[in-house]
Amino acid sequence: MEPVTDRRISIIGAGLAGSLLALLLARRDWAVDVYEKRPDPRRRSYAGGRSINLALAERGLHALRLAGLRDAVMAQAVMMRGRMVHALDGATQLLRYGRDDSEVIWSVHRGRLNLSLVEAAEAAGATLYFDARLDAVDFSARRATIVDECDGAGREIDFEVLLGADGAGSGLRAAMDRVSDLGERFEPLGHGYRELEIPPAADGGFLLEPNALHIWPRGGYMCIALPNTEHTFTVTLFLPAKGDPSFATLPDVGAARALFARDFADALALMPDFDADWQANPVGQLGTLSLARWRLGGSALLLGDAAHAMVPFHGQGMNCAFEDCIALDRCIEQAPDWETAFARFESERRPDAEAIQAMALENYVEMRDQVDDADFLRQRALERILAERHPGRFVSRYAMVSFMRVPYSVAFERGKVQRRILVECTSGVPEVGQVDLVRADRMVVERLAMLEGG
Ligand code: FAD
Ligand code: 8RB
């Protein structure tokens, strides 16, 4: 579609997806208005307070490259080369994610990343309104009510189209669902999370290896830690809501401390503020959101977490939301009208969103329960061997998801074929050195075509 000067696109949410989308569309000369319920991040201090970090992988990096923000973000990112697995006895082992330092993921500060995106969106010509919450929508009149979060005053805005980048608790989604059933389903994981922090060492350095994503796998639950540029680590405990142990069996900080002393002793020793953090930070809920419809004709469309919130265990929610923005920008550019653009976006992205949602669920089991399992480690060893023998053909699922931009649905399907080969070739074989590689090679060539662009 050719932008006509007075034609506006209205975006709800200036989070990670909304601000990137505003930037991409403003660059194409659309008049873009963004309504964000939170205050302007430039008027808040990001220096103090807790650091919340995110893992940025190739899909997200590619989006930042297109936005012209790659260098600025990477200047403040911490490289994570692999999983550092912490056994119960405190022993650690680094399992690399990729072949070398070209295949790594990056820990970035959410607040600073969001701020960079907001500034870049404005610089590209988008208009951002803060403390501005979408409250109600009259889709037939194309009018919406925006409430000022400071004084509670409501005002009416006219819109051409509404793009919902307003996250898992989307207000636009609720408004759309009131007009036409979106077929919304939320599948709770049954596990929650709580965040803690490891401060810098006395000499100002890191208390754990900085260039890793730390995992304390404990079967039914786990802790993880990601490094921050401030030399701290953000620690997250993932634990069932019910059962033993669970958030239900931790009525107070004393019980929480006892669980950590038993299961995460080396981590607890690094958290002098454990009690205060435990009491200050609430338990977060996790789950998978699916909608039968992401759009209302050609008048409103959901993307990012608003359309397909997922569990966090592949570290791909933001990466996927950024990929949505690039896909939507292209659909809008190429389609003759809004309805066509939205329909193409939805049919292109739905299979990929469903695939990463499923892979994220699977990765929880792998992270918490399999990283020290003998069968799993043998399969992983064979995976490395086959990846080396068949470059561009046998590529680990983790690599396809994190270091490449092949569609998530392709990574998911090829991952299933590869998993079967690994299981068939290692079952009943005690050592990976004893695997029949001639047979394995034949399976690979017969069952897997070369990866496009691989
Ligand atoms: P958000 O970034 O949540 O933005 C939504 C915005 O809409 C917010 O600014 C909100 O204030 C605003 N909003 C909401 N309702 C309204 C309304 N009614 N009116 C106006 N504005 C509204 N992903 C990764 O890829 N890697 C990671 O390592 C990772 N770690 C994470 C760690 C944590 C603790 C959490 C919670 C998530 C993590 N994610 C990670 C997921 C990632 O944060 C999300 O997938 C991503 O932010 C989705 O972007 P979004 O723009 O759709 O939503
Ligand atoms: N949301 C991540 C991975 C995969 C790591 C691996 C996992 C915390 C909330 Cl749990 C998790 C990964 O397979 O070895 N890459 O990036 C990020 C993760 O959690 C983030 C920090 C998180 N997301 C609510 C809490």
Side-chain angles (χ1 to χ4, degrees):
M1 274 176 285
E2 281 295 309
V4 182
T5 353
D6 62 340
R7 288 256 166 126
R8 307 192 82 82
I9 295 180
S10 303
I11 299 176
I12 310 303
L16 298 175
S19 50
L20 176 65
L21 184 63
L23 159 77
L24 297 173
L25 294 173
R27 260 209 215 147
R28 292 198 194 275
D29 278 341
W30 289 94
V32 181
D33 290 317
V34 189
Y35 301 92
E36 165 59 51
K37 74 174 176 189
R38 288 186 300 198
D40 189 333
R42 286 158 296 193
R43 298 211 317 248
R44 272 186 305 185
S45 164
Y46 278 96
R50 261 178 337 132
S51 295
I52 294 295
N53 47 29
L54 298 146
L56 178 68
E58 175 56 24
R59 293 166 203 271
L61 257 177
H62 177 71
L64 295 175
R65 230 175 259 134
L66 292 183
L69 290 171
R70 183 195 171 277
D71 292 349
V73 172
M74 290 302 281
Q76 299 219 53
V78 184
M79 181 192 282
M80 298 187 289
R81 294 196 168 93
R83 297 175 176 169
M84 184 71 82
V85 178
H86 295 245
L88 198 53
D89 65 5
T92 57
Q93 192 193 358
L94 180 73
L95 304 174
R96 263 190 176 272
Y97 287 134
R99 281 177 290 220
D100 53 45
D101 283 359
S102 69
E103 295 185 331
V104 298
I105 55 176
W106 301 87
S107 180
V108 297
H109 187 281
R110 176 196 291 271
R112 281 197 295 262
L113 174 62
N114 209 150
L115 183 59
S116 304
L117 285 164
V118 159
E119 284 173 339
E122 266 191 5
T127 308
L128 281 77
Y129 301 91
F130 292 94
D131 302 303
R133 176 173 55 82
L134 177 81
D135 188 50
V137 186
D138 181 340
F139 291 97
S140 48
R142 296 195 179 242
R143 303 201 91 194
T145 309
I146 303 289
V147 170
D148 185 322
E149 293 284 80
C150 300
D151 60 13
R155 70 179 166 111
E156 302 286 301
I157 58 151
D158 294 312
F159 64 85
E160 278 287 318
V161 287
L162 286 180
L163 303 181
D166 50 352
S170 172
L172 179 55
R173 189 177 70 228
M176 289 162 69
D177 196 56
R178 259 174 244 132
V179 176
S180 161
D181 183 5
L182 297 179
E184 179 174 336
R185 269 196 5 230
F186 182 74
E187 191 70 45
L189 179 66
H191 294 226
Y193 72 97
R194 202 152 195 157
E195 286 161 340
L196 300 158
E197 189 174 277
I198 294 175
D203 69 1
F206 285 98
L207 278 171
L208 291 172
E209 162 59 42
N211 295 118
L213 191 157
H214 294 264
I215 309 182
W216 290 259
R218 296 296 180 260
Y221 49 99
M222 67 176 186
C223 273
I224 64 162
L226 273 69
N228 295 303
T229 45
E230 292 79 11
H231 299 175
T232 61
F233 290 85
T234 304
V235 178
T236 310
L237 166 68
F238 294 99
L239 189 70
K242 296 190 195 116
D244 189 18
S246 70
F247 282 114
T249 63
L250 302 177
D252 53 45
V253 66
R257 213 172 229 295
L259 173 74
F260 270 76
R262 188 190 76 187
D263 287 343
F264 308 107
D266 56 336
L268 180 64
L270 307 178
M271 295 190 279
D273 294 331
F274 180 89
D275 292 15
D277 283 351
W278 185 271
Q279 277 155 337
N281 302 334
V283 176
Q285 303 305 316
L286 302 167
T288 303
L289 172 78
S290 50
L291 302 180
R293 282 162 293 282
W294 290 358
R295 66 191 179 95
L296 209 63
S299 62
L301 173 77
L302 302 169
L303 70 153
D305 278 9
H308 50 65
M310 63 190 74
V311 296
F313 306 106
H314 227 306
Q316 286 288 319
M318 161 186 62
N319 288 281
C320 177
F322 280 174
E323 220 174 41
D324 282 356
C325 296
I326 293 170
L328 180 57
D329 177 44
R330 186 173 18 82
C331 289
I332 291 174
E333 194 209 354
Q334 293 174 356
D337 54 57
W338 290 111
E339 173 117 34
T340 311
F342 291 179
R344 282 185 191 163
F345 172 79
E346 186 175 339
S347 60
E348 177 186 333
R349 291 301 291 167
R350 176 186 297 286
D352 292 326
E354 288 172 358
I356 188 58
Q357 287 181 316
M359 291 189 285
L361 279 164
E362 289 180 4
N363 213 46
Y364 189 25
V365 181
E366 176 174 321
M367 289 180 79
R368 72 181 199 228
D369 202 26
Q370 292 182 340
V371 282
D372 52 4
D373 175 279
D375 288 343
F376 172 77
L377 292 175
R378 235 171 332 111
Q379 290 165 23
R380 265 302 147 93
L382 180 59
E383 179 177 65
R384 275 176 190 270
I385 293 168
L386 293 181
E388 188 123 327
R389 291 166 79 88
H390 302 278
R393 193 189 294 272
F394 193 107
V395 179
S396 77
R397 189 173 91 175
Y398 188 89
M400 288 188 282
V401 168
S402 303
F403 311 136
M404 300 175 76
R405 289 183 286 119
V406 297
Y408 288 124
S409 51
V410 172
F412 190 37
E413 290 309 319
R414 293 181 71 103
K416 288 181 196 162
V417 175
Q418 294 179 166
R419 170 89 46 88
R420 211 168 309 124
I421 294 174
L422 296 177
V423 170
E424 282 176 36
C425 292
T426 56
S427 70
V429 182
E431 288 284 333
V432 72
Q434 293 166 298
V435 168
D436 179 352
L437 285 179
V438 175
R439 174 165 167 257
D441 285 344
R442 202 180 55 235
M443 288 180 182
V444 170
V445 174
E446 276 173 5
R447 300 183 196 177
L448 292 161
M450 288 297 285
L451 244 181
E452 275 169 62

